[in-house]
Amino acid sequence: MKRRRGRTAAAALLAASLLAGCAPVAQNGDTVSLPAVVPAPASIEAGSGAPFRLTPDTTVTGEADAAATLAAIVEARAGFTPAKGGRESGIDLRIVPGSGAPESYRIAVDEASVVVTGADAAGLFYGVQTLGQLIARNSAGGGQQEGEDAEWTVPAVTIEDAPRFAYRGAMLDVARHFHPLETVKGYIDRAASLKLNALHLHLTDDQGWRIQLDSRPELTERASGTSVGGDSTEGQGTPGGFFTKAGYREIVEYAASRHMIVVPEIDMPGHTHAVGLAYPELAEEPTISDHMREIIRDYGGEEPRPGVPYEGMAVGFSSLKTRDEATYDFVADVFGELAAMTPGPYLHFGGDESLSTTDEDFAVFVARASEIIADLGKTPVAWHEAGAAAGLADTTIGQYWGYLTAQEGVSARARAFVDNGGQLILSPADAIYLDMKYPNGPELGLTWANGPTSIERAYTWEPSDIVDGIDDSGILGVEAPLWTETIRTAADIDTMAFPRAAAAAEAAWSPATGASDLRTWASFRERVGALGPLWTSMGIGFHPSDEIPWVTE
Ligand code: TNX
């Protein structure tokens, strides 16, 4: 298709729609084409005029941080940086306090200008992320062959947007396989581009302790050297590793620069075999159940032995000594030090799958752990099992990891957090556990949560339908966990997280299903497909699933 001079506004709009990564959407009975934005914004209206042309001479004015964020996206996507004080029409990036809800933004694009306003710095940052998705490559002078000059445009559009939930998380397990600083930073960039604002780091588990602490240096000295599969088993393992305190602070600062908090998790009283390597006196002997023997049979590896690093994939065999006061001194030391280096409000103490701790001991332990954290001035977070305990600190947040259709008992435990004064983070395992295998995908991943998990299943659910009796007021947010028993590299992380993390982000950010024409699987698959070129230019090695009509350039 040749680009003609003097085209009509309607023709220009059509051309922009075809070329600008737009997605068809049913609106009031008509099918209209709208620019593809993920997560779906609260409101988007296509303009009738010609698109804005983005060139090396485009001027960017306003907030310096936002301008730098935009420059990095334009550089990656289009290969040039817009000029400061250039000659052509411009992009203005402003914070207008009080202009909307926290984290909200507005974008207005016409042929002459792009104006992005945020109600705060986070809102402006999200506006810039959306603007990055709107940038489209049109080929000047005809087709899209090699060597032709590309023309970059932003379609005429008005977007007003604000998040549905305050907490929008991604969890990375750095315990089963350690993932180094650069990988974590990359994951922060990826998550922030989807408007996620919390990085939950699963820092400890049976296989390793990944955070250095001055009060308990033996933890990383003795329990961080290995990972699932050891460092030799058929190439499955990695040598392990840990974050120094300086490294952790670097993660916290990097996340903050992308408007994300870090939520550190120290899993207890189960998932603590590694603690026993450093402090045998705090750990019970491993309990070997029939379930464990099954896992060992299916996945290989040795039975856990006291004092020997565990390199298998079984869960539920370890417990701290919950009746020993020395254990609570340990809990206080660990969370005291973490509280001091974590500016975000949340400290996660695990509480999942403590299958070898009695119910009574578990209840006493989680109540005390939650109080220790609350006394530090932080908000405790625990997996939903802890909801069974009376005496949890009343601010405790529960993280639901049951299924889309909650089983008996699981809902009750989750509801208990809300009844107690807290809220829930929703991580339905059969939808947004990013470590579940894909259908027709790579060998990576597990299947226990009704896997394989399609992108359609990751997308097609409504947060207020998960736990009976819990509506938006009881929901703090949504989080997509990535457990790493089989996930060893940054490339593995990309494959498993993309595009399913985008489905989780839409549940966390966008209007409820039924409240927006965009909140359908049909719309999502088109919109996410339109992000292929942007993701590629950002270096995201997404899984090219055949469920999605990927746009290529
Ligand atoms: C369950 S979900 C776990 C993790 C595993 C994961 C693997 C939860 C709170 N615990 O220990 O890594 O399954 O999918």
Side-chain angles (χ1 to χ4, degrees):
M1 184 170 55
K2 288 268 178 210
R3 201 171 66 90
R4 290 185 206 106
R5 282 171 210 284
R7 58 190 171 176
T8 62
L13 175 64
L14 180 65
S17 307
L18 290 173
L19 295 168
C22 285
V25 62
Q27 230 175 26
N28 307 322
D30 293 334
T31 299
V32 295
S33 194
L34 290 170
V37 177
V38 179
S43 123
I44 179 166
E45 220 176 291
S48 56
F52 177 86
R53 286 181 69 243
L54 182 65
T55 77
D57 282 331
T58 299
T59 314
V60 179
T61 51
E63 294 291 327
D65 285 352
T69 302
L70 179 64
I73 297 172
V74 174
E75 171 71 48
R77 181 82 174 94
F80 61 80
T81 35
K84 288 198 183 88
R87 284 172 283 115
E88 293 199 359
S89 55
I91 300 175
D92 191 39
L93 308 171
R94 301 258 164 223
I95 297 171
V96 182
S99 61
E103 305 182 289
S104 67
Y105 69 91
R106 183 173 195 280
I107 296 182
V109 183
D110 60 24
E111 191 173 4
S113 67
V114 175
V115 179
V116 186
T117 49
D120 49 26
L124 183 58
F125 178 82
Y126 296 136
V128 168
Q129 298 304 322
T130 296
L131 178 55
Q133 295 183 354
L134 296 175
I135 295 169
R137 181 186 203 272
N138 305 337
S139 286
Q144 309 201 356
Q145 282 93 24
E146 266 322 278
E148 281 189 293
D149 287 341
E151 180 182 84
W152 297 90
T153 59
V154 182
V157 72
T158 305
I159 295 174
E160 293 193 31
D161 201 7
R164 176 179 179 191
F165 294 116
Y167 183 102
R168 305 177 302 278
M171 189 210 83
L172 184 64
D173 171 7
V174 294
R176 271 51 175 275
H177 279 105
F178 180 66
H179 296 279
L181 213 58
E182 288 315 310
T183 304
V184 173
K185 286 182 177 175
Y187 204 48
I188 288 170
D189 283 331
R190 286 154 170 70
S193 77
L194 295 170
K195 306 186 174 77
L196 301 182
N197 65 358
L199 175 73
H200 169 180
L201 285 177
H202 184 78
L203 288 166
T204 68
D205 214 300
D206 293 311
Q207 294 84 351
W209 186 284
R210 311 298 184 193
I211 177 77
Q212 177 205 1
L213 296 174
D214 294 336
S215 60
R216 302 280 176 161
E218 295 88 346
L219 288 164
T220 42
E221 281 165 16
R222 298 191 192 151
S224 67
T226 55
S227 65
V228 167
D231 57 9
S232 56
T233 320
E234 290 163 11
Q236 291 299 299
T238 55
F242 64 90
F243 299 122
T244 62
K245 291 185 78 163
Y248 179 80
R249 288 208 174 90
E250 206 176 316
I251 292 172
V252 165
E253 277 168 29
Y254 193 84
S257 72
R258 272 94 180 140
H259 301 278
M260 293 182 85
I261 56 167
V262 172
V263 180
E265 177 187 354
I266 305 293
D267 203 349
M268 51 180 68
H271 292 275
T272 44
H273 184 79
V275 176
L277 302 184
Y279 300 104
E281 66 278 14
L282 300 180
E284 302 283 4
E285 297 254 315
T287 311
I288 317 287
S289 64
D290 288 348
H291 169 68
M292 267 215 63
R293 291 199 183 89
E294 249 172 66
I295 293 180
I296 291 168
R297 206 182 48 232
D298 292 353
Y299 293 98
E302 305 278 321
E303 286 190 5
R305 280 179 296 147
V308 178
Y310 181 63
E311 298 174 353
M313 289 172 46
V315 298
F317 57 85
S318 56
S319 181
L320 294 178
K321 289 190 174 163
T322 59
R323 297 184 179 212
D324 195 331
E325 277 311 302
T327 295
Y328 298 96
D329 295 340
F330 173 80
V331 174
D333 283 351
V334 167
F335 284 115
E337 216 173 320
L338 266 182
M341 51 186 188
T342 304
Y346 305 110
L347 297 181
H348 201 309
F349 66 96
D352 58 317
E353 300 172 318
S354 298
L355 308 178
S356 60
T357 318
T358 67
D359 290 352
E360 189 194 349
D361 288 350
F362 177 77
V364 170
F365 178 86
V366 295
R368 285 189 69 177
S370 72
E371 287 297 349
I372 288 169
I373 292 170
D375 287 348
L376 289 164
K378 295 291 187 183
T379 302
V381 186
W383 298 103
H384 69 236
E385 286 97 318
L392 277 185
D394 59 11
T395 51
T396 308
I397 302 296
Q399 185 162 7
Y400 174 86
W401 60 280
Y403 287 175
L404 291 168
T405 304
Q407 296 111 318
E408 280 285 308
V410 175
S411 269
R413 285 180 186 175
R415 238 185 339 264
F417 289 94
V418 179
D419 294 344
N420 191 44
Q423 284 180 299
L424 289 178
I425 295 167
L426 299 174
S427 302
D430 50 349
I432 57 170
Y433 262 35
L434 302 177
D435 63 313
M436 289 299 123
K437 274 195 165 72
Y438 286 101
N440 310 317
E443 269 309 296
L444 295 170
L446 305 177
T447 52
W448 67 263
N450 278 340
T453 301
S454 64
I455 302 161
E456 181 170 6
R457 171 129 58 81
Y459 183 77
T460 313
W461 59 284
E462 161 49 37
S464 60
D465 289 345
I466 301 295
V467 180
D468 276 352
I470 301 295
D471 61 14
D472 283 25
S473 66
I475 301 172
L476 181 64
V478 172
E479 179 173 292
L482 179 48
W483 303 98
T484 59
E485 285 91 337
T486 64
I487 310 301
R488 285 168 297 150
T489 64
D492 292 350
I493 292 174
D494 272 3
T495 303
M496 298 310 276
F498 285 83
R500 290 183 298 193
E506 190 139 322
W509 176 280
S510 302
T513 54
S516 160
D517 293 328
L518 297 176
R519 285 283 276 127
T520 65
W521 164 240
S523 165
F524 177 75
R525 62 191 286 279
E526 297 276 354
R527 285 182 287 113
V528 107
L531 295 189
L534 175 64
W535 284 357
T536 300
S537 66
M538 288 166 70
I540 301 176
F542 60 88
H543 169 50
S545 162
D546 59 13
E547 291 182 76
I548 302 294
W550 296 105
V551 169
T552 52
E553 286 175 339

